[in-house]
Amino acid sequence: MNKVMLIGNVGQEPDVHYYGADQARAEVRLATTERGYKLPNGTEVPARTDWHTLLFFGNLAKTVEHYVHKGDKLYVEGRLRYSVYNDKLGQRRNVTEILVASMEMLSPRPQQPATNPAARPSQPEPNETKPNQLPF
């Protein structure tokens, strides 16, 4: 079984590319952090942050393009993919990516500016009568 589940924060704006007939690919860098703690002998273990490269394809990539931004908190599920290549200097490089199958956005949505009811002029109801006025 090859399954990854992560919760973390987006480190930069998504990098989205289109190819073929309206096919999308999005790449996102996600930071996950393990809290620091203290061992029973008093030794402090510092917090550790790991960076992950997430790849989204198709409609999920289009959703990322429109709704995911730097600083957002995400929950993703997917699978690991390892690849190897030689860089320009001929050195062998290893790459680990997460191919995302599903995502949940955990950051609260920005609130729309509420209309201020006090800013609107008060209009009397059609059946409302003013003092000193008779209804007939």
Side-chain angles (χ1 to χ4, degrees):
M1 177 183 279
N2 180 357
K3 185 167 186 164
V4 176
M5 296 182 290
L6 296 172
I7 295 177
N9 295 308
V10 176
Q12 62 190 27
E13 289 297 315
D15 183 23
V16 181
H17 296 281
Y18 284 86
Y19 59 94
D22 197 34
Q23 296 297 313
R25 174 190 183 273
E27 184 174 318
V28 172
R29 297 283 291 157
L30 189 78
T32 57
T33 302
E34 291 184 45
R35 292 183 181 159
Y37 56 93
K38 193 178 224 178
L39 296 174
N41 66 5
T43 305
E44 295 218 15
V45 177
R48 175 184 168 153
T49 300
D50 292 312
W51 287 91
H52 311 275
T53 300
L54 308 179
L55 295 179
F56 299 83
F57 293 94
N59 289 333
L60 201 51
K62 292 176 185 178
T63 300
V64 166
E65 178 181 28
H66 294 293
Y67 299 107
V68 175
H69 302 287
K70 179 179 178 177
D72 287 351
K73 184 173 282 241
L74 297 180
Y75 168 76
V76 295
E77 288 186 14
R79 63 186 178 91
L80 283 176
R81 180 174 75 178
Y82 298 104
S83 55
V84 178
Y85 70 96
N86 292 324
D87 66 10
K88 293 178 183 178
L89 301 174
Q91 293 190 7
R92 185 180 167 139
R93 300 287 181 182
N94 296 314
V95 177
T96 303
E97 299 167 319
I98 295 152
L99 303 177
V100 178
S102 65
M103 168 188 76
E104 284 188 44
M105 294 178 276
L106 301 178
S107 295
R109 290 184 179 182
Q111 292 186 359
Q112 299 294 330
T115 57
N116 185 355
R120 283 188 256 148
S122 173
Q123 301 256 340
E125 291 292 321
N127 294 335
E128 185 180 328
T129 60
K130 294 182 182 177
N132 299 334
Q133 281 190 341
L134 299 174
F136 49 91

